[in-house]
Amino acid sequence: MNRLTEAEARSEYDKLVPIMALEGRTMDAASQAVFVEYLQDKLTIDDLVAIAKRRNGVTA
């Protein structure tokens, strides 16, 4: 599987923005950067969970 370039991943993210807006959702710049890295296969689901826990002060 070919990894997306950063530009390709950002383009894919941009396609999701209208859908998120319809649902009343937004994504801050830091979350967007993490999502782009995920789209590039640089992060795993476990990485995303760890980031979310860290951001929310969960230590266990």
Coordinates of all heavy atoms in Angstrom, one line a residue:
M1 N 0.8 -1.2 0.0 CA 0.0 0.0 0.0 C 0.9 1.2 0.0 O 1.8 1.4 0.8 CB -0.9 0.0 1.2 CG -1.8 1.1 1.4 SD -2.8 0.8 2.8 CE -3.5 2.4 3.1
N2 N 0.6 2.2 -0.9 CA 1.4 3.4 -1.0 C 0.9 4.4 0.1 O -0.3 4.6 0.2 CB 1.2 4.0 -2.3 CG 1.9 3.2 -3.4 OD1 2.9 2.5 -3.2 ND2 1.4 3.3 -4.6
R3 N 1.8 5.0 0.8 CA 1.5 6.0 1.7 C 1.1 7.3 1.0 O 1.7 7.6 0.0 CB 2.6 6.2 2.7 CG 2.8 5.1 3.6 CD 3.9 5.4 4.6 NE 4.0 4.2 5.5 CZ 4.7 4.2 6.6 NH1 5.4 5.3 6.9 NH2 4.8 3.2 7.4
L4 N 0.2 8.0 1.6 CA -0.2 9.3 1.1 C 0.9 10.3 1.4 O 1.5 10.3 2.5 CB -1.5 9.8 1.7 CG -2.7 9.0 1.4 CD1 -3.9 9.6 2.2 CD2 -3.0 8.9 0.0
T5 N 1.1 11.3 0.5 CA 2.0 12.4 0.8 C 1.3 13.3 1.8 O 0.0 13.2 2.0 CB 2.4 13.2 -0.4 OG1 1.2 13.8 -1.0 CG2 3.1 12.3 -1.5
E6 N 1.9 14.2 2.4 CA 1.3 15.2 3.3 C 0.2 16.0 2.5 O -0.9 16.2 3.0 CB 2.2 16.2 3.9 CG 1.6 17.1 4.9 CD 2.5 18.0 5.7 OE1 3.7 17.8 5.6 OE2 2.0 18.9 6.3
A7 N 0.5 16.4 1.3 CA -0.5 17.1 0.4 C -1.7 16.3 0.1 O -2.8 16.7 0.2 CB 0.2 17.6 -0.8
E8 N -1.5 15.0 -0.2 CA -2.6 14.1 -0.5 C -3.5 13.9 0.8 O -4.7 13.9 0.7 CB -2.1 12.8 -1.0 CG -1.5 12.8 -2.4 CD -0.7 11.6 -2.8 OE1 -0.2 10.9 -1.9 OE2 -0.7 11.3 -4.0
A9 N -2.8 13.7 1.9 CA -3.5 13.5 3.2 C -4.3 14.7 3.5 O -5.5 14.6 4.0 CB -2.6 13.1 4.3
R10 N -3.7 15.9 3.4 CA -4.5 17.1 3.6 C -5.7 17.3 2.7 O -6.7 17.8 3.1 CB -3.5 18.4 3.6 CG -2.6 18.4 4.7 CD -1.8 19.7 4.8 NE -0.9 19.7 5.9 CZ -1.2 19.8 7.2 NH1 -2.4 20.0 7.5 NH2 -0.2 19.8 8.1
S11 N -5.5 16.9 1.5 CA -6.6 16.9 0.5 C -7.7 16.0 0.9 O -8.9 16.4 0.8 CB -6.1 16.5 -0.9 OG -7.2 16.5 -1.8
E12 N -7.4 14.8 1.4 CA -8.4 13.9 1.9 C -9.1 14.5 3.1 O -10.3 14.4 3.3 CB -7.8 12.5 2.3 CG -7.3 11.8 1.1 CD -8.4 11.5 0.1 OE1 -9.5 11.0 0.5 OE2 -8.2 11.7 -1.1
Y13 N -8.3 15.1 4.0 CA -8.9 15.8 5.2 C -9.9 16.9 4.7 O -11.0 16.9 5.3 CB -7.9 16.4 6.1 CG -8.4 17.3 7.1 CD1 -9.0 16.8 8.3 CD2 -8.5 18.7 6.9 CE1 -9.6 17.6 9.2 CE2 -9.1 19.5 7.9 CZ -9.6 19.0 9.0 OH -10.2 19.8 9.9
D14 N -9.5 17.6 3.8 CA -10.3 18.7 3.3 C -11.7 18.2 2.7 O -12.7 18.9 2.8 CB -9.6 19.5 2.2 CG -8.5 20.4 2.8 OD1 -8.5 20.6 4.0 OD2 -7.6 20.8 2.0
K15 N -11.7 17.0 2.2 CA -12.9 16.4 1.7 C -13.9 16.1 2.8 O -15.1 16.0 2.6 CB -12.6 15.1 0.9 CG -11.9 15.4 -0.4 CD -11.5 14.1 -1.1 CE -10.7 14.3 -2.3 NZ -10.2 13.0 -2.9
L16 N -13.3 15.8 4.0 CA -14.1 15.5 5.2 C -14.7 16.7 5.9 O -15.7 16.6 6.6 CB -13.3 14.7 6.2 CG -12.8 13.3 5.7 CD1 -11.9 12.7 6.7 CD2 -14.0 12.4 5.4
V17 N -14.1 17.9 5.7 CA -14.5 19.1 6.4 C -16.0 19.4 6.2 O -16.7 19.6 7.2 CB -13.6 20.3 6.1 CG1 -14.2 21.6 6.6 CG2 -12.2 20.0 6.6
P18 N -16.6 19.4 5.0 CA -18.0 19.6 4.9 C -18.9 18.6 5.6 O -19.9 19.0 6.1 CB -18.2 19.6 3.4 CG -16.9 19.7 2.7 CD -15.9 19.2 3.7
I19 N -18.5 17.4 5.6 CA -19.2 16.3 6.3 C -19.2 16.6 7.8 O -20.3 16.6 8.5 CB -18.7 14.9 6.0 CG1 -18.8 14.6 4.5 CG2 -19.4 13.9 6.9 CD1 -18.0 13.5 4.1
M20 N -18.1 17.0 8.4 CA -18.0 17.3 9.8 C -18.8 18.5 10.1 O -19.5 18.6 11.1 CB -16.5 17.5 10.2 CG -15.7 16.3 10.2 SD -14.0 16.5 10.9 CE -13.3 17.7 9.9
A21 N -18.8 19.5 9.2 CA -19.6 20.7 9.4 C -21.1 20.4 9.5 O -21.8 21.0 10.3 CB -19.3 21.7 8.3
L22 N -21.6 19.5 8.6 CA -23.0 19.1 8.6 C -23.3 18.5 10.0 O -24.5 18.6 10.4 CB -23.3 18.1 7.5 CG -23.3 18.6 6.1 CD1 -23.5 17.5 5.1 CD2 -24.5 19.6 6.0
E23 N -22.4 17.8 10.6 CA -22.6 17.2 11.9 C -22.4 18.2 13.1 O -22.4 17.8 14.2 CB -21.7 16.0 12.1 CG -22.0 14.9 11.1 CD -21.1 13.7 11.1 OE1 -20.0 13.9 11.7 OE2 -21.4 12.7 10.6
G24 N -22.0 19.4 12.7 CA -21.7 20.4 13.8 C -20.3 20.2 14.4 O -20.1 20.6 15.5
R25 N -19.4 19.5 13.7 CA -18.1 19.2 14.3 C -17.0 20.1 13.7 O -17.1 20.5 12.5 CB -17.7 17.8 14.1 CG -18.7 16.8 14.7 CD -18.4 15.4 14.3 NE -19.4 14.5 14.8 CZ -19.2 13.6 15.8 NH1 -18.0 13.6 16.4 NH2 -20.1 12.8 16.2
T26 N -16.0 20.4 14.4 CA -14.8 21.0 13.9 C -13.6 20.3 14.5 O -13.7 19.5 15.4 CB -14.8 22.5 14.4 OG1 -14.8 22.5 15.8 CG2 -15.9 23.3 13.8
M27 N -12.4 20.6 13.9 CA -11.2 20.0 14.4 C -10.2 21.1 14.6 O -9.9 21.9 13.6 CB -10.7 19.0 13.4 CG -9.7 18.0 13.9 SD -9.2 16.7 12.8 CE -10.7 15.7 12.7
D28 N -9.5 21.2 15.7 CA -8.5 22.2 16.0 C -7.3 21.8 15.1 O -7.1 20.7 14.6 CB -8.2 22.4 17.4 CG -7.6 21.1 18.1 OD1 -6.9 20.4 17.5 OD2 -7.9 21.0 19.3
A29 N -6.3 22.8 15.0 CA -5.2 22.6 14.2 C -4.3 21.4 14.7 O -3.8 20.6 13.8 CB -4.3 23.9 14.2
A30 N -4.2 21.2 16.0 CA -3.4 20.1 16.5 C -4.0 18.8 16.1 O -3.3 17.8 15.7 CB -3.2 20.2 18.0
S31 N -5.3 18.7 16.3 CA -6.0 17.4 15.9 C -6.0 17.2 14.4 O -5.8 16.0 14.0 CB -7.5 17.5 16.4 OG -7.6 17.6 17.8
Q32 N -6.1 18.2 13.6 CA -6.0 18.1 12.2 C -4.6 17.5 11.8 O -4.5 16.6 11.0 CB -6.2 19.4 11.5 CG -6.1 19.3 10.0 CD -6.2 20.7 9.3 OE1 -6.7 21.6 9.9 NE2 -5.8 20.8 8.1
A33 N -3.5 18.0 12.4 CA -2.2 17.5 12.1 C -2.1 16.1 12.5 O -1.5 15.3 11.7 CB -1.2 18.4 12.9
V34 N -2.6 15.7 13.6 CA -2.6 14.3 14.0 C -3.4 13.4 13.0 O -2.9 12.3 12.6 CB -3.1 14.1 15.5 CG1 -3.4 12.6 15.8 CG2 -2.2 14.7 16.5
F35 N -4.5 13.9 12.6 CA -5.3 13.1 11.7 C -4.6 13.0 10.3 O -4.6 11.9 9.7 CB -6.7 13.8 11.5 CG -7.7 13.0 10.7 CD1 -8.2 11.8 11.2 CD2 -8.1 13.4 9.4 CE1 -9.1 11.1 10.5 CE2 -9.0 12.7 8.7 CZ -9.5 11.5 9.2
V36 N -3.9 14.0 9.9 CA -3.2 13.9 8.6 C -2.1 12.9 8.7 O -1.9 12.1 7.8 CB -2.6 15.3 8.2 CG1 -1.6 15.2 7.1 CG2 -3.8 16.2 7.8
E37 N -1.4 12.9 9.9 CA -0.4 11.8 10.1 C -1.0 10.4 10.1 O -0.4 9.5 9.6 CB 0.4 12.1 11.4 CG 1.3 13.3 11.4 CD 2.1 13.4 12.6 OE1 2.6 12.3 13.2 OE2 2.3 14.5 13.1
Y38 N -2.2 10.3 10.7 CA -2.9 9.0 10.7 C -3.2 8.6 9.2 O -3.0 7.4 8.8 CB -4.1 9.1 11.5 CG -5.0 7.8 11.4 CD1 -4.5 6.7 12.0 CD2 -6.1 7.8 10.7 CE1 -5.3 5.5 11.9 CE2 -6.9 6.7 10.6 CZ -6.5 5.5 11.2 OH -7.2 4.4 11.1
L39 N -3.7 9.5 8.4 CA -4.0 9.2 7.0 C -2.7 8.8 6.2 O -2.8 8.1 5.3 CB -4.6 10.4 6.3 CG -6.1 10.8 6.8 CD1 -6.5 12.1 6.1 CD2 -7.0 9.7 6.5
Q40 N -1.6 9.3 6.7 CA -0.3 8.9 6.0 C 0.2 7.6 6.5 O 1.3 7.2 6.1 CB 0.7 10.1 6.2 CG 0.4 11.3 5.5 CD 1.4 12.4 5.8 OE1 1.4 13.1 6.8 NE2 2.4 12.4 4.9
D41 N -0.5 6.9 7.4 CA 0.0 5.7 8.0 C 1.2 5.9 8.9 O 2.0 5.0 9.1 CB 0.3 4.6 7.0 CG -1.0 4.1 6.4 OD1 -2.0 4.0 7.0 OD2 -0.9 3.6 5.2
K42 N 1.4 7.1 9.4 CA 2.4 7.4 10.4 C 2.0 7.1 11.8 O 2.9 6.9 12.7 CB 2.9 8.8 10.3 CG 3.6 9.2 9.0 CD 4.0 10.7 9.0 CE 4.7 11.0 7.7 NZ 5.2 12.4 7.8
L43 N 0.7 7.0 12.1 CA 0.2 6.7 13.4 C -0.8 5.6 13.3 O -1.5 5.4 12.3 CB -0.5 7.9 14.0 CG 0.3 9.2 14.2 CD1 -0.6 10.4 14.6 CD2 1.4 9.0 15.2
T44 N -0.8 4.8 14.4 CA -1.8 3.7 14.5 C -3.0 4.1 15.3 O -2.9 5.2 16.0 CB -1.1 2.5 15.1 OG1 -0.8 2.8 16.5 CG2 0.1 2.0 14.4
I45 N -4.0 3.3 15.4 CA -5.1 3.6 16.3 C -4.6 3.6 17.7 O -5.1 4.5 18.5 CB -6.2 2.5 16.1 CG1 -6.8 2.5 14.7 CG2 -7.2 2.6 17.2 CD1 -7.7 3.8 14.5
D46 N -3.7 2.8 18.1 CA -3.2 2.8 19.5 C -2.5 4.1 19.7 O -2.6 4.7 20.8 CB -2.2 1.6 19.7 CG -2.9 0.3 19.7 OD1 -4.1 0.2 20.0 OD2 -2.2 -0.7 19.5
D47 N -1.8 4.7 18.7 CA -1.2 6.0 18.9 C -2.2 7.0 19.1 O -2.1 7.9 20.0 CB -0.3 6.4 17.6 CG 0.9 5.5 17.4 OD1 1.5 5.0 18.4 OD2 1.2 5.3 16.2
L48 N -3.3 7.0 18.4 CA -4.4 8.0 18.5 C -5.0 7.9 19.9 O -5.3 8.9 20.5 CB -5.5 7.8 17.4 CG -5.0 8.0 16.0 CD1 -6.2 7.7 15.1 CD2 -4.4 9.3 15.8
V49 N -5.2 6.7 20.4 CA -5.8 6.5 21.7 C -4.8 7.1 22.8 O -5.3 7.8 23.7 CB -6.1 5.0 22.0 CG1 -6.4 4.8 23.5 CG2 -7.2 4.5 21.1
A50 N -3.5 6.8 22.6 CA -2.6 7.4 23.6 C -2.6 8.9 23.6 O -2.5 9.5 24.6 CB -1.2 6.8 23.3
I51 N -2.6 9.5 22.4 CA -2.7 10.9 22.2 C -3.9 11.5 22.9 O -3.9 12.5 23.7 CB -2.6 11.3 20.8 CG1 -1.2 11.0 20.2 CG2 -2.9 12.8 20.6 CD1 -1.1 11.1 18.7
A52 N -5.1 10.9 22.7 CA -6.3 11.3 23.2 C -6.3 11.2 24.8 O -6.7 12.1 25.5 CB -7.5 10.5 22.7
K53 N -5.7 10.1 25.3 CA -5.6 10.0 26.7 C -4.7 11.1 27.3 O -5.0 11.7 28.3 CB -5.1 8.6 27.1 CG -6.1 7.5 27.0 CD -5.5 6.2 27.4 CE -6.5 5.1 27.4 NZ -5.9 3.8 27.7
R54 N -3.6 11.3 26.7 CA -2.6 12.3 27.2 C -3.3 13.7 27.2 O -3.1 14.4 28.1 CB -1.4 12.3 26.3 CG -0.2 13.1 26.8 CD 1.1 12.9 26.0 NE 0.9 13.1 24.6 CZ 1.1 12.1 23.7 NH1 1.4 10.9 24.2 NH2 1.0 12.3 22.4
R55 N -4.0 14.0 26.1 CA -4.6 15.3 26.0 C -5.7 15.5 27.1 O -6.0 16.6 27.5 CB -5.2 15.5 24.6 CG -4.2 15.8 23.5 CD -5.0 16.1 22.3 NE -4.0 16.4 21.2 CZ -4.4 16.7 20.0 NH1 -5.7 16.7 19.6 NH2 -3.5 16.9 19.1
N56 N -6.3 14.4 27.5 CA -7.4 14.5 28.5 C -6.9 14.1 29.9 O -7.8 14.0 30.8 CB -8.5 13.6 28.0 CG -9.2 14.1 26.8 OD1 -9.9 15.2 26.9 ND2 -9.1 13.4 25.7
G57 N -5.6 14.0 30.1 CA -5.1 13.8 31.4 C -5.3 12.4 32.0 O -5.2 12.2 33.2
V58 N -5.6 11.5 31.1 CA -5.8 10.1 31.6 C -4.4 9.4 31.7 O -3.7 9.4 30.7 CB -6.7 9.3 30.6 CG1 -6.9 7.9 31.0 CG2 -8.1 10.0 30.5
T59 N -4.2 8.9 32.9 CA -2.8 8.3 33.1 C -2.9 6.7 33.1 O -1.9 6.1 33.0 CB -2.2 8.8 34.4 OG1 -3.1 8.5 35.5 CG2 -2.0 10.3 34.3
A60 N -4.1 6.2 33.3 CA -4.2 4.7 33.4 C -4.4 4.1 32.0 O -4.9 4.6 31.1 CB -5.3 4.3 34.3

